[in-house]
Amino acid sequence: SPLNRFQFFSSGRLFSDETKKIYTLKIDHDIYRAEQRQDFRLDSNEYNTLQFAVEDKIYRAIDASAGGTCIGIMAQEKALFIKDTIFPNAFISINGKRFKIAEAKVVKIWEADVTMPDKRMVKGYKVGIQFAGMNEKEKDDLCRHVIAEARKEEQARRDLNG
């Protein structure tokens, strides 16, 4: 069921009635929903170089998974990334290994601080991009690579910390 991907949480007080053998939960706050991701995400950091290429331009990816990526863009680039725009023949590069993405769909765009190549933070936008049109082998290869790179990062961190 699609609801299995969601977890709901809140806080409240639980009361029991021993004679009726029932429990009552009084919820004191809002109920929140958290969606469980289908794919593991790899973050861009000192261990991982992530790039997304579309329309002959390369963008620094903030994170990547077999299901999509998030990139940072400058305000002047916003017109290219309109919600629901589909880019054919995009690429995601993870630590130098390049994967062809048949379709990359813009699913969300929001104002955010964006890190420049020289590490300065500037006002810009983050763009959520969903991958589509990949066959099972392509998606599995990308998923395996993301997990392998995450393991390499974890091992490198362990080695660094002794």
Side-chain angles (χ1 to χ4, degrees), residues 42 49-50 64 92-99 142 145-146 149:
L42 185 66
T49 302
L50 310 175
I92 187 78
S93 174
I94 301 171
N95 296 332
K97 183 161 180 162
R98 203 170 164 197
F99 295 86
L142 178 53
H145 188 68
V146 166
E149 294 304 306

Side-chain angles (χ1 to χ4, degrees), residues 109-148:
I109 183 165
W110 65 99
E111 284 188 46
D113 290 333
V114 176
T115 306
M116 301 302 294
D118 63 4
K119 305 294 184 209
R120 285 181 303 121
M121 295 294 284
V122 298
K123 293 285 181 202
Y125 293 88
K126 288 185 179 177
V127 182
I129 296 172
Q130 181 180 53
F131 300 155
M134 298 167 68
N135 64 41
E136 282 303 311
K137 182 187 179 329
E138 292 168 329
K139 188 165 179 161
D140 285 349
D141 288 348
L142 178 53
C143 186
R144 273 196 276 288
H145 188 68
V146 166
I147 291 168

